[in-house]
Amino acid sequence: MGSRMVDLRERRLEAAAKEASPAIHCVELTKRYGSTLALAGLTMTVPRGEVFGFLGPNGAGKTTAVKLLLGLVPATSGEGWVLGQRLGDVDARQRIGYLPELFRYQPWLSGREVMALHCRLARLPRSVWSEEIAAALSLVGLEERADDRIRTYSKGMQQRLGLGVALLGAPELVFLDEPTSALDPVGRHQVRQIIYRLRERGTTVFLNSHMLTELEMVCDRVAMVDRGRVIATGTLDQLLSGNACRIRVSGLDLGQRRSLARFGDLDDDGEAITVRGLGPERVPELVAEIVGMGGRVYAVEPRHQSLEDRFLELLREG
Ligand SMILES: Nc1ncnc2c1ncn2[C@@H]1O[C@H](COP(=O)(O)OP(=O)(O)O)[C@@H](O)[C@H]1O
Ligand SMILES: [Mg+2]
């Protein structure tokens, strides 16, 4: 009786430790392919429930990082944990979904058959297959084409199928490697909606992309990678420091326009004045100042430095 209680307590502690462990934690993960340094000491922590963006140009090491984290490829050095388990742990891998960057499904199978195959590979109990498949098909909007053969699918549909496959079994952590690369704007919008829904469910999403605008909209935090190294990481607000405000205004003379420089750096194109380095909390004061001088305000637009500009800036600094 006593030992049973200890056992239970230990198991509960173990479960709590698992809960508390971050979704991903790695220290100095490095991968060499011959003379190519594909990943040069990746150290990062991704808390549970985050949509984490891994951003960098082609060849930066994004796919390599994902393969190491999944345990598909051994690290040259360094160590890591996913869902509280060492890289490559089979139990953890069953709780992880993966959309590879390059994949081709058997063209002679139907979408539903591909999903059933992956239910089997994921060792999901057969009793839940049809429910899991229906949920995944609905999430990626493929219900109506589920019984058509893959060879009749467009590239975008195949990518959505891949996304559906990655979500079978409600994984706690999902790696999506360039999930929108084959998609048109509508398809990209759909993928974003799916990611929003995953976030609502509390699923951790690790999203590889070289498309900055894609990450900007969905990610809580972003790491920027270049040539195997993380060059910056943080929330978008932290990374995109430069706040600005663009005001369309008339009725001010040149001197009055210039006097606004006390709010920040001015960029005046005659029609609109852009004030850089101005926190949102000072916008009402700026507008009041303009109106007080007799100016007429037609529009006040917040400006954010784009992730793209920031990335290029960091590359230049590096
Ligand atoms: N299996 C491999 N063998 C040799 N070199 C590889 C292999 N996989 C990736 N690389 C090299 O590692 C670097 C990073 O590649 P990758 O991780 O695919 O970058 P990304 O996904 O950011 O485009 C590249 O220089 C690539 O050529
Ligand atoms: Mg890649």
Side-chain angles (χ1 to χ4, degrees):
M1 189 70 180
S3 79
R4 184 117 145 261
M5 274 175 68
V6 169
D7 206 41
L8 271 176
R9 212 175 121 236
E10 256 172 24
R11 237 183 286 159
R12 221 175 297 141
L13 282 176
E14 217 171 80
K18 250 184 215 171
E19 280 292 297
S21 61
I24 300 169
H25 179 61
C26 60
V27 182
E28 289 293 314
L29 267 190
T30 298
K31 182 67 187 179
R32 279 183 187 282
Y33 290 108
S35 61
T36 306
L37 187 56
L39 201 63
L42 177 66
T43 298
M44 66 175 182
T45 304
V46 179
R48 303 231 182 190
E50 252 188 28
V51 178
F52 189 88
F54 206 57
L55 170 71
N58 287 328
K62 305 181 297 296
T63 298
T64 301
V66 165
K67 286 182 177 169
L68 293 184
L69 292 171
L70 283 163
L72 296 177
V73 164
T76 306
S77 61
E79 51 186 350
W81 294 260
V82 286
L83 303 176
Q85 307 289 329
R86 288 256 170 205
L87 298 188
D89 180 85
V90 176
D91 164 61
R93 206 186 293 177
Q94 282 196 350
R95 294 180 283 137
I96 298 175
Y98 174 40
L99 172 68
E101 179 175 24
L102 300 169
F103 60 89
R104 263 198 69 169
Y105 292 121
Q106 300 77 350
W108 59 89
L109 293 181
S110 71
R112 195 186 303 279
E113 285 166 343
V114 165
M115 286 200 169
L117 178 64
H118 283 265
C119 282
R120 175 185 305 206
L121 290 173
R123 304 220 177 93
L124 296 179
R126 199 175 266 268
S127 57
V128 304
W129 286 14
S130 68
E131 198 184 322
E132 284 290 334
I133 293 172
L137 286 169
S138 144
L139 197 59
V140 299
L142 280 178
E143 298 115 311
E144 287 178 9
R145 298 291 305 272
D147 296 305
D148 295 347
R149 294 189 190 288
I150 308 292
R151 76 162 65 89
T152 70
Y153 282 20
S154 68
K155 230 177 151 188
M157 289 170 64
Q158 291 189 40
Q159 192 131 13
R160 277 191 280 145
L161 176 64
L163 193 53
V165 166
L167 301 178
L168 289 168
E172 291 164 46
L173 168 63
V174 184
F175 289 95
L176 306 178
D177 198 352
E178 309 273 0
T180 58
S181 55
L183 301 181
D184 59 16
V186 174
R188 289 210 283 272
H189 174 77
Q190 286 169 335
V191 169
R192 276 202 296 278
Q193 300 304 313
I194 293 167
I195 293 172
Y196 291 140
R197 254 180 275 166
L198 292 175
R199 190 201 338 241
E200 279 166 25
R201 278 192 202 167
T203 308
T204 310
V205 181
F206 189 93
L207 186 56
N208 269 4
S209 182
H210 66 279
M211 293 170 60
L212 308 113
T213 46
E214 288 310 301
L215 297 184
E216 214 158 15
M217 285 186 249
V218 293
C219 290
D220 301 305
R221 279 194 315 139
V222 173
M224 294 180 177
V225 269
D226 181 49
R227 281 169 288 171
R229 285 174 205 287
V230 171
I231 55 173
T233 176
T235 64
L236 291 180
D237 279 346
Q238 287 164 345
L239 291 178
L240 309 175
S241 48
N243 273 314
C245 175
R246 185 173 186 271
I247 300 199
R248 279 210 295 136
V249 58
S250 73
L252 296 184
D253 64 33
L254 199 58
Q256 287 172 322
R257 295 176 86 102
R258 285 199 182 141
S259 74
L260 298 175
R262 72 180 181 87
F263 287 93
D265 286 341
L266 293 191
D267 182 4
D268 190 348
D269 65 14
E271 187 202 5
I273 302 172
T274 302
V275 188
R276 293 180 206 288
L278 177 82
E281 72 286 351
R282 292 196 70 203
V283 172
E285 194 190 329
L286 171 63
V287 173
E289 172 87 6
I290 294 172
V291 173
M293 293 190 293
R296 291 162 64 86
V297 174
Y298 296 90
V300 181
E301 301 153 356
R303 278 292 150 103
H304 224 38
Q305 180 188 32
S306 76
L307 204 46
E308 190 140 30
D309 288 341
R310 181 66 183 137
F311 191 77
L312 293 173
E313 204 175 277
L314 283 165
L315 284 186
R316 275 197 301 271
E317 284 168 15

